[in-house]
Amino acid sequence: MDTKTLSNDAERKGVAYYRKGVVMVSLGFLGTFSGFNAAQNLQTSLNATLGDINLACLYGTFTVLCLIAPPALASLERVIGLRMIMFGSVLAYVAMILSNLDVSVWAVPITMNVLVGVAAPLLWTLQNDYLGRCAYHAAHEMAESAEGIAEATSDMTAR
């Protein structure tokens, strides 16, 4: 795992900073996928054939792009940043949800599902990377503070 900091100003923020990041990502995923799963179920139950085509496009694109997502993210992160990529990926899900409001033009939902198929590997890979980085940095913060406490305690008891 890459041990770079989450952002330039994220160094030495403390465990609470990383905990807040994990909570924000968790709540973001809860909101995004509550709406997405509802829209996906609605799409397949109301528009049987179109819903099946949409899901095939989404998961076909997702499967193929999972193979190239990690190397692509390494270069994208340097240019755009981790949080902005996650935000843009979530916007693709929002666009797919909104595309279900009017299915009179069949190409729009299919295009939005392909877009989600492009965004999904980025979002899921970055989510795991982000949570791993938060855990890594929080553990180092806790270890450094534990070492400081141990040193202070040993200084006090040595006297």
Side-chain angles (χ1 to χ4, degrees):
M1 176 177 55
D2 186 12
T3 58
K4 293 186 299 186
T5 57
L6 296 174
S7 66
N8 291 337
D9 61 329
E11 293 183 47
R12 314 295 289 154
K13 291 287 187 175
V15 176
Y17 175 82
Y18 302 110
R19 184 175 294 124
K20 178 183 170 193
V22 169
V23 168
M24 295 302 292
V25 167
S26 300
L27 291 175
F29 265 69
L30 177 68
T32 301
F33 287 100
S34 294
F36 172 71
N37 288 336
Q40 194 175 28
N41 290 333
L42 179 68
Q43 190 175 75
T44 54
S45 62
L46 291 181
N47 310 315
T49 304
L50 181 60
D52 293 339
I53 292 169
N54 286 334
L55 292 179
C57 290
L58 189 158
Y59 290 110
T61 308
F62 179 55
T63 302
V64 170
L65 292 180
C66 275
L67 301 173
I68 62 168
L73 284 172
S75 60
L76 267 176
E77 183 185 352
R78 279 180 246 136
V79 176
I80 300 171
L82 189 121
R83 292 178 183 152
M84 290 307 295
I85 297 170
M86 283 198 296
F87 181 73
S89 297
V90 167
L91 288 180
Y93 280 91
V94 171
M96 180 273 182
I97 293 166
L98 294 175
S99 75
N100 285 306
L101 297 176
D102 182 22
V103 291
S104 61
V105 180
W106 58 268
V108 173
I110 292 174
T111 304
M112 291 301 115
N113 278 284
V114 169
L115 183 63
V116 169
V118 171
L122 302 176
L123 183 64
W124 285 102
T125 304
L126 281 178
Q127 177 242 2
N128 289 323
D129 190 27
Y130 184 80
L131 294 178
R133 289 181 191 189
C134 284
Y136 175 84
H137 290 293
H140 279 289
E141 291 289 330
M142 290 172 63
E144 287 175 6
S145 65
E147 288 172 7
I149 292 170
E151 287 176 20
T153 305
S154 65
D155 288 345
M156 291 177 154
T157 55
R159 291 183 185 178

